Each structure stands twice: as structure tokens, then as C-alpha cells.
Amino acid sequence: MKTRRSDRLIDMTNYLLERPHTLISLTFFAERYESAKSSISEDLAIVKRTFQARGIGVLETIPGAAGGARFIPSINEDEARSFISEMVQEMSAESRLLPGGYVYLSDLLGRPDVLRVVGRVIARQYIDKQIDAVMTVATKGVPIAQSVSEYLNVPFVIVRRDSKITEGATVSVNYVSGSSERIEKMELSKRSLKRGSHVLVVDDFMKGGGTVNGMKSMIEEFDSELVGITVFAEGSFAGQRMVDDYTSLLRVDQVNSQDKTIHVSAGTYLDRVFGNQK
Amino acid sequence: MKTRRSDRLIDMTNYLLERPHTLISLTFFAERYESAKSSISEDLAIVKRTFQARGIGVLETIPGAAGGARFIPSINEDEARSFISEMVQEMSAESRLLPGGYVYLSDLLGRPDVLRVVGRVIARQYIDKQIDAVMTVATKGVPIAQSVSEYLNVPFVIVRRDSKITEGATVSVNYVSGSSERIEKMELSKRSLKRGSHVLVVDDFMKGGGTVNGMKSMIEEFDSELVGITVFAEGSFAGQRMVDDYTSLLRVDQVNSQDKTIHVSAGTYLDRVFGNQK
């Protein structure tokens, strides 16, 4: 039985949202809904208009009988700005202060509402780039990598500081931990990344950039290419950072354990992504 | 300007899908679309019908002017069955065999298409239960916890084997590792779980159940309540398991390193969740 337009639009929206960056053919939808391709084309035009108007993302439509549609998740500037302001507020709470001037972030990075927006925000930055995999280091970078991977619809890989028997053969690199200037080791399962991949690096927090730099070496070991580095938050760092080309959503400028104050501001993201459009 | 029905249905679908288990009021939608509540009610009835027909989930609608709608993600039996069969195929590949009879799973647990369904499948099992948090142990359980947490729209917490300075004060418990009968330690940040929470435990793989049992002790330490345990895969185990009431999506029955064969079958999930409906 032919599916009504209203039902088609709802199911089509769900179907596209669950499969970002995937071309769905007109033929597929026409069969799914037992409807004419011309009707499906009209449906897609409506979906495209609404996705655009509401800042959900871009629906690329390929015209013609052999055509189809591909959903590219995005976020508009207003929504990205208001999310970053909200995070600045949240992170400035005195209760987040930990001994040693650290800031407690684990609750934020375990909240699905926060992670959804983090994923959309970071995916937006690389909307025009080819990315084959998202890389992070265990454990706190994982939720960010997973969210970004959902919106880019590519796998994520987890670099570990300790080898596990369940990873099989690994490639290991040494790196200088920026904050402590110690030499440490990180490993990645050989099976987890294909040679020649385009890799996006994400992490929860960056200070000296040592860990991120280690991931850069790891990407080289896999004959792969670094596309970009985006971190949830960067901390202030007195020395020379080991990485210069990176993006941060937030910046922890100053942590004062005596006054119990944390000063947080927006990172480089908004300028880098929306700066030139103004 | 009043939004057209077709546009409302598309945006409403996206809005509800992004906020599972959250009551959205008629008033909110009426204002968002500058439309009458009666029209919004009709829209919601259409969304409800399509979500049901396509197995997307249940749209609970609360009638009346003060009412609204709440989206409860779900999955139907056919889709769950075909996903589990697909995973049985994937996991039976000889190339997954690791030394020591382990099975390589990291690629599956880094694929967004797999994780989306894992999340829906596990969330479906607990559709009638109150859950306040999802708990797992670092590192490989994290992607599963995050996916389930998205569909239940509750936070997830990560128990760790090593304490990190960025977690603040932690509670630690000792547990007996089932496979090796060693005493090990796991820790959870004190801030990460409220007392009196209803907690769902998930993990990637279970053999003797020692790790899961450790999480049970941890939940007790937080004066909280265990709602259920679901693992992606269980392995065969010769001795007495430390946990008996659990659900597995898959079962690795036999790993033969000499013949290079892995025998994988469906776990207890389908029977436990859909068994009585037949």
C-alpha cells in the first residue's frame, strides 16, 4: 500500500538522520513507500528545506531517476555559540575544582545531551573534509570520538596507554608528555586503522599537547594523514606547546585553588569555524 | 509565520528523536510552529502512528491542553533478530581469532552503525524500568554504555582500574577477577553517581563475571540499586560464574586456535526480551 506523504516524511527523516553521509537512492525510498519517484523527489525537497531552516544539516540531493539524497549533519552559528556559552557557565562552577588545579569534566562527558551537541559541533568543522576515521586516546576522549563518529558516520579508534590481550598485535610509539616531560608509550591495534586513512584527532583536554603529538606520530606509523585536531577544552600552558594547529571548544584560562575560582572562556572554535562568515 | 504541517512533522521528528524519554509540551510545539494546539495534537498522532509502524519506538502522548509527547526508543523483534544474526556472522570470521583464544571486537565497537543498534536493542530491554545511570568499566565498555545512554537519555559513568587525578575523590572496591582468580581494584569518582540511583550495568564481554560482580559491589557502595546487566558478548566459562542474572546479545561458544575456528551464536537476549511474546 502506498504510504501517505506525512508518514513518508516522518520515516524518511528518521532514516536519513540515522545514516549521515550515506547516499540513499530515490529507488530505495520509492520501493519502501510504494510511491512514485516524482513524489519522493518532492518529499526530499521538503526535508531539505526544513533541515536547512532548522539548522539540522544539509540534505544534498542528486537529481534524476538515478539520484538520491545524502544527509550531512551540521549546526548553525547561533546554536553552536549558545552551547559554548552554556559550557563556559557549567565549567566555571567552583565545585569542579580538583586538587592540583584540575577541573572535573567527567559528568559533562557522560551526558548524552552534551555529547550530541559536541558531536555536531565538531562534525560541522570538518564538513568539507574527507575523514575516514576519528582517533582518540583512552579513556576520557572516547565519548567525544564516538559522538563525532556518529555524525560523520565513520569508525573511531582508541589509542591506549596499556596493551590489552584483546587488541591483538599493536603498533606502539613513544611520546613526550608535555606537562611532565616524561617519555610515555601509546599503542594502537594494527587491525584498527587502514593504511592511507584520513584521520581526525579529538580529545577531552589538551595542555602541552604531548598526547595529541603522540597521536600524530601514530598516524604516521599507519601511513595515514592527519586532517585536524579538535579538543573539548584546552588549558593554559606556560611553555611551548607541542602542537600548534588545533581547535578548542573551550579554554580554561586560570584555575586558582586558593580563591577557588576557575576562569573559563570560549576556545578557538567559533572564530575558526564561523569567523570568516561575518 | 505559521509553519506548514509537512515542515512541522519533519522538525518534530528530529526534535523528539534527539530528546528521548523527555516530555515535550504541546505548548512548546505550538509556539515553535506558531500553530494551534489542536493541529499539534494531530501532528503527534501521525508521528505516533509512523513511529509504531516502522518500529522506531513508542510516542507516548499525554492528551489535553497541558499535555505533550514523550519519545521512547525501541526496536522490533525482526530488526533485533536480524541484527544479532548479522553480528553472529561478523564475529565468526576466522580473522578475529587472537592468540590465547580471544576474539577481536574493537572494530565492531567502533562502528557507529553497529553501536546505534546495540544502543536501541539494550534500551528496548529496559523500556519499562526506571534507570538513572548506565555504568561500565573502561575502556571497551564505554562505547556500549554511551549508546545505551543516548537512547535512555540518562548519563553514563565509567569505572576505572586506575585512578586518574582528573576524577577527584574516588570510591574503590576490590573484586575477584573470575578468569584468573586474582584480586583486583576498581574505582569510581565520588561525584559521578548520586546515592539512590537505579543503575544499568553494560559491558563488551563477560567470561567469569568478576568485573561485572565488581560493579555490583560498586553500586552497593553508592547506596544504589542494580537494575540489570547486559553484555554484548559472553564467552564460555568452565567454572561457576560469579553473576547469574545477566543478558547477552551474543555467545562465543568455542574458540579453537588450532583449527582457527570461532563458534558464535545468539545470546540470551532474544529469548529474554521477546521470548514470551511468541
Side-chain angles (χ1 to χ4, degrees), chain B residues 108-154:
Chain B
L108 294 177
L109 302 180
R111 268 172 51 185
D113 58 329
V114 171
L115 289 170
R116 271 185 210 109
V117 191
V118 168
R120 285 174 65 204
V121 158
I122 300 180
R124 167 68 183 82
Q125 186 182 3
Y126 299 98
I127 203 163
D128 299 322
K129 299 274 197 270
Q130 188 195 330
I131 292 172
D132 306 309
V134 180
M135 176 184 280
T136 194
V137 74
T139 301
K140 294 208 300 173
V142 178
I144 295 173
Q146 179 166 348
S147 297
V148 176
S149 119
E150 275 177 52
Y151 288 97
L152 294 176
N153 214 21
V154 297

Coordinates of all heavy atoms in Angstrom, one line a residue, chain B residues 108-154:
Chain B
L108 N 34.1 -3.6 15.7 CA 32.6 -3.6 15.8 C 32.2 -2.5 16.8 O 31.3 -1.8 16.5 CB 32.1 -4.9 16.2 CG 32.2 -6.1 15.3 CD1 31.7 -7.4 15.9 CD2 31.5 -5.8 14.0
L109 N 32.9 -2.4 17.9 CA 32.5 -1.5 18.9 C 33.1 -0.1 18.6 O 33.0 0.8 19.5 CB 33.0 -2.0 20.3 CG 32.4 -3.3 20.6 CD1 32.9 -3.8 22.0 CD2 30.9 -3.3 20.6
G110 N 33.6 0.2 17.4 CA 34.0 1.5 17.0 C 33.2 1.9 15.8 O 33.4 3.0 15.2
R111 N 32.2 1.1 15.4 CA 31.4 1.4 14.2 C 30.1 2.0 14.6 O 29.2 1.4 15.3 CB 31.1 0.1 13.4 CG 32.2 -0.2 12.3 CD 32.0 -1.5 11.7 NE 30.6 -1.8 11.2 CZ 30.2 -2.9 10.8 NH1 31.0 -3.9 10.7 NH2 28.9 -3.1 10.4
P112 N 29.8 3.3 14.1 CA 28.6 3.9 14.6 C 27.3 3.2 14.2 O 26.3 3.2 14.9 CB 28.6 5.3 13.9 CG 29.7 5.2 12.9 CD 30.6 4.1 13.3
D113 N 27.3 2.5 13.0 CA 26.1 1.8 12.6 C 25.8 0.6 13.6 O 24.6 0.4 13.9 CB 26.2 1.3 11.2 CG 27.4 0.4 10.9 OD1 28.4 0.6 11.6 OD2 27.3 -0.5 10.1
V114 N 26.8 0.0 14.0 CA 26.7 -1.1 15.0 C 26.2 -0.6 16.3 O 25.3 -1.1 16.9 CB 28.0 -2.0 15.1 CG1 27.9 -3.0 16.3 CG2 28.3 -2.7 13.8
L115 N 26.9 0.4 16.8 CA 26.6 1.0 18.1 C 25.2 1.5 18.2 O 24.6 1.4 19.3 CB 27.6 2.1 18.5 CG 29.0 1.5 18.8 CD1 30.1 2.6 18.9 CD2 29.0 0.7 20.0
R116 N 24.7 2.1 17.1 CA 23.3 2.6 17.2 C 22.3 1.5 17.5 O 21.5 1.6 18.3 CB 22.9 3.3 15.8 CG 23.3 4.7 15.7 CD 22.8 5.3 14.4 NE 23.6 6.4 14.0 CZ 24.5 6.4 13.0 NH1 24.5 5.3 12.2 NH2 25.3 7.4 12.8
V117 N 22.5 0.4 16.8 CA 21.6 -0.7 17.0 C 21.8 -1.4 18.4 O 20.8 -1.7 19.1 CB 21.6 -1.8 15.9 CG1 20.5 -2.7 16.0 CG2 21.6 -1.1 14.5
V118 N 23.0 -1.5 18.8 CA 23.3 -2.0 20.1 C 22.6 -1.2 21.2 O 21.9 -1.7 22.1 CB 24.8 -2.1 20.4 CG1 25.1 -2.3 21.9 CG2 25.5 -3.1 19.6
G119 N 22.7 0.1 21.0 CA 22.0 1.0 22.0 C 20.5 0.8 22.0 O 19.9 0.7 23.1
R120 N 19.9 0.7 20.8 CA 18.4 0.6 20.8 C 18.0 -0.8 21.3 O 17.0 -0.9 22.0 CB 18.0 0.7 19.3 CG 17.9 2.1 18.8 CD 17.6 2.1 17.3 NE 16.2 1.7 17.1 CZ 15.8 1.1 15.9 NH1 16.7 1.0 14.9 NH2 14.6 0.8 15.8
V121 N 18.8 -1.8 21.0 CA 18.5 -3.2 21.4 C 18.5 -3.2 23.0 O 17.6 -3.7 23.6 CB 19.5 -4.2 20.8 CG1 19.6 -5.4 21.6 CG2 19.1 -4.4 19.3
I122 N 19.6 -2.7 23.6 CA 19.7 -2.8 25.0 C 18.6 -1.9 25.7 O 18.0 -2.2 26.7 CB 21.1 -2.5 25.5 CG1 22.1 -3.5 24.9 CG2 21.2 -2.5 27.0 CD1 23.5 -3.4 25.3
A123 N 18.4 -0.7 25.1 CA 17.4 0.2 25.7 C 16.0 -0.4 25.7 O 15.2 -0.3 26.6 CB 17.4 1.6 24.9
R124 N 15.8 -1.2 24.6 CA 14.5 -1.9 24.5 C 14.2 -2.8 25.6 O 13.1 -3.0 26.1 CB 14.5 -2.6 23.1 CG 13.3 -3.7 23.0 CD 12.0 -3.0 22.9 NE 10.9 -4.0 22.8 CZ 10.4 -4.6 23.8 NH1 10.8 -4.4 25.0 NH2 9.4 -5.5 23.7
Q125 N 15.3 -3.5 26.1 CA 15.1 -4.5 27.2 C 14.6 -3.8 28.5 O 13.9 -4.4 29.2 CB 16.5 -5.2 27.4 CG 16.4 -6.3 28.4 CD 17.7 -6.9 28.7 OE1 18.7 -6.5 28.2 NE2 17.7 -8.0 29.6
Y126 N 15.0 -2.6 28.7 CA 14.7 -1.9 29.9 C 13.6 -0.8 29.8 O 13.6 0.1 30.5 CB 16.0 -1.4 30.6 CG 17.0 -2.5 30.8 CD1 18.0 -2.8 29.9 CD2 16.8 -3.3 31.9 CE1 18.9 -3.8 30.2 CE2 17.7 -4.4 32.2 CZ 18.7 -4.6 31.3 OH 19.6 -5.7 31.5
I127 N 12.8 -1.0 28.7 CA 11.8 0.0 28.4 C 10.9 0.3 29.5 O 10.4 1.5 29.7 CB 11.1 -0.4 27.1 CG1 10.5 0.8 26.3 CG2 10.1 -1.5 27.3 CD1 10.2 0.5 24.9
D128 N 10.6 -0.6 30.4 CA 9.6 -0.4 31.5 C 10.3 -0.2 32.8 O 9.6 -0.1 33.8 CB 8.7 -1.7 31.6 CG 7.9 -2.0 30.4 OD1 7.5 -1.0 29.7 OD2 7.8 -3.2 30.0
K129 N 11.6 0.0 32.8 CA 12.3 0.1 34.1 C 12.7 1.6 34.3 O 13.0 2.3 33.3 CB 13.6 -0.8 34.1 CG 13.3 -2.3 34.0 CD 13.0 -2.9 35.3 CE 13.1 -4.4 35.3 NZ 11.9 -5.1 34.9
Q130 N 12.8 1.9 35.6 CA 13.4 3.2 35.8 C 14.9 3.1 35.9 O 15.5 2.3 36.7 CB 12.9 3.8 37.2 CG 13.4 5.3 37.4 CD 13.3 5.7 38.8 OE1 12.4 5.3 39.5 NE2 14.1 6.7 39.2
I131 N 15.6 3.8 35.1 CA 17.1 3.8 35.1 C 17.6 5.2 35.2 O 17.1 6.1 34.4 CB 17.6 3.1 33.8 CG1 17.3 1.6 33.8 CG2 19.1 3.3 33.6 CD1 17.6 0.9 32.6
D132 N 18.5 5.5 36.1 CA 19.1 6.8 36.3 C 20.5 7.0 35.7 O 20.9 8.1 35.5 CB 19.1 7.2 37.8 CG 17.8 7.0 38.4 OD1 16.8 7.5 37.9 OD2 17.7 6.3 39.4
A133 N 21.2 5.8 35.6 CA 22.5 5.9 35.0 C 22.9 4.6 34.5 O 22.4 3.5 34.9 CB 23.5 6.3 36.2
V134 N 23.8 4.6 33.5 CA 24.4 3.4 32.9 C 25.8 3.3 33.4 O 26.5 4.3 33.4 CB 24.3 3.5 31.3 CG1 24.9 2.2 30.7 CG2 22.9 3.7 30.8
M135 N 26.2 2.2 33.8 CA 27.6 2.0 34.3 C 28.4 1.0 33.5 O 27.8 0.0 33.0 CB 27.6 1.5 35.8 CG 28.9 1.3 36.4 SD 28.8 0.6 38.1 CE 28.5 2.1 39.0
T136 N 29.7 1.3 33.3 CA 30.5 0.3 32.6 C 31.9 0.5 33.1 O 32.2 1.4 34.0 CB 30.5 0.5 31.1 OG1 31.1 -0.7 30.5 CG2 31.3 1.7 30.6
V137 N 32.8 -0.4 32.6 CA 34.2 -0.3 33.1 C 35.0 0.1 31.9 O 34.7 -0.3 30.7 CB 34.6 -1.6 33.7 CG1 34.8 -2.7 32.7 CG2 35.8 -1.5 34.6
A138 N 36.1 0.9 32.1 CA 36.9 1.4 31.0 C 37.7 0.2 30.4 O 38.0 -0.7 31.2 CB 37.9 2.4 31.5
T139 N 38.0 0.1 29.1 CA 37.8 1.1 28.1 C 36.7 0.6 27.1 O 35.9 1.3 26.6 CB 39.1 1.4 27.3 OG1 40.1 1.8 28.2 CG2 38.9 2.3 26.2
K140 N 36.7 -0.7 26.9 CA 35.9 -1.2 25.8 C 34.4 -1.2 26.1 O 33.6 -1.3 25.1 CB 36.4 -2.6 25.3 CG 37.8 -2.4 24.8 CD 38.1 -3.5 23.7 CE 38.0 -4.8 24.3 NZ 38.1 -5.9 23.3
G141 N 34.0 -1.1 27.3 CA 32.6 -1.0 27.6 C 32.0 0.4 27.3 O 30.8 0.6 27.2
V142 N 32.9 1.4 27.2 CA 32.4 2.8 27.1 C 31.5 3.0 25.9 O 30.4 3.6 26.0 CB 33.6 3.8 27.1 CG1 33.2 5.2 26.9 CG2 34.4 3.6 28.4
P143 N 31.9 2.6 24.7 CA 31.0 2.8 23.5 C 29.6 2.2 23.7 O 28.6 2.8 23.3 CB 31.7 2.1 22.4 CG 33.2 2.2 22.8 CD 33.2 1.9 24.3
I144 N 29.5 1.1 24.4 CA 28.2 0.5 24.6 C 27.4 1.3 25.6 O 26.3 1.6 25.4 CB 28.4 -1.0 25.1 CG1 29.0 -1.8 23.9 CG2 27.1 -1.6 25.5 CD1 29.4 -3.2 24.3
A145 N 28.1 1.7 26.7 CA 27.4 2.5 27.7 C 26.9 3.8 27.1 O 25.8 4.2 27.3 CB 28.3 2.8 28.8
Q146 N 27.7 4.4 26.2 CA 27.3 5.7 25.6 C 26.1 5.5 24.7 O 25.2 6.3 24.7 CB 28.5 6.3 24.9 CG 28.2 7.6 24.2 CD 29.4 8.3 23.7 OE1 30.5 8.0 24.1 NE2 29.2 9.4 23.0
S147 N 26.1 4.5 23.9 CA 25.0 4.3 23.0 C 23.7 4.0 23.8 O 22.7 4.6 23.4 CB 25.2 3.0 22.1 OG 26.3 3.3 21.3
V148 N 23.8 3.2 24.8 CA 22.6 2.9 25.6 C 22.1 4.2 26.3 O 20.9 4.5 26.3 CB 22.8 1.8 26.6 CG1 21.6 1.6 27.5 CG2 23.2 0.5 25.9
S149 N 23.1 4.9 26.8 CA 22.7 6.2 27.5 C 22.0 7.2 26.6 O 21.2 7.9 27.0 CB 24.0 6.8 28.1 OG 24.3 8.0 27.6
E150 N 22.4 7.2 25.3 CA 21.7 8.1 24.3 C 20.3 7.7 24.2 O 19.4 8.6 24.1 CB 22.4 8.0 23.0 CG 23.6 8.8 22.8 CD 24.2 8.6 21.4 OE1 23.5 8.7 20.4 OE2 25.4 8.4 21.4
Y151 N 20.0 6.4 24.1 CA 18.6 6.0 23.8 C 17.8 6.1 25.1 O 16.6 6.3 25.0 CB 18.6 4.6 23.2 CG 19.0 4.7 21.7 CD1 20.3 4.5 21.3 CD2 18.1 5.2 20.7 CE1 20.7 4.6 20.0 CE2 18.5 5.3 19.4 CZ 19.8 5.0 19.0 OH 20.2 5.2 17.7
L152 N 18.4 5.9 26.3 CA 17.7 6.1 27.5 C 17.7 7.5 28.0 O 16.9 7.9 28.9 CB 18.3 5.2 28.6 CG 18.2 3.7 28.4 CD1 18.9 2.9 29.5 CD2 16.7 3.2 28.4
N153 N 18.5 8.3 27.4 CA 18.7 9.7 27.8 C 19.1 9.9 29.3 O 18.5 10.8 29.9 CB 17.5 10.6 27.4 CG 17.9 12.0 27.0 OD1 19.1 12.2 26.6 ND2 17.0 12.9 27.0
V154 N 20.0 9.1 29.7 CA 20.5 9.3 31.1 C 22.0 9.2 31.0 O 22.6 8.7 30.0 CB 20.0 8.1 32.1 CG1 18.5 8.1 32.2 CG2 20.5 6.8 31.6

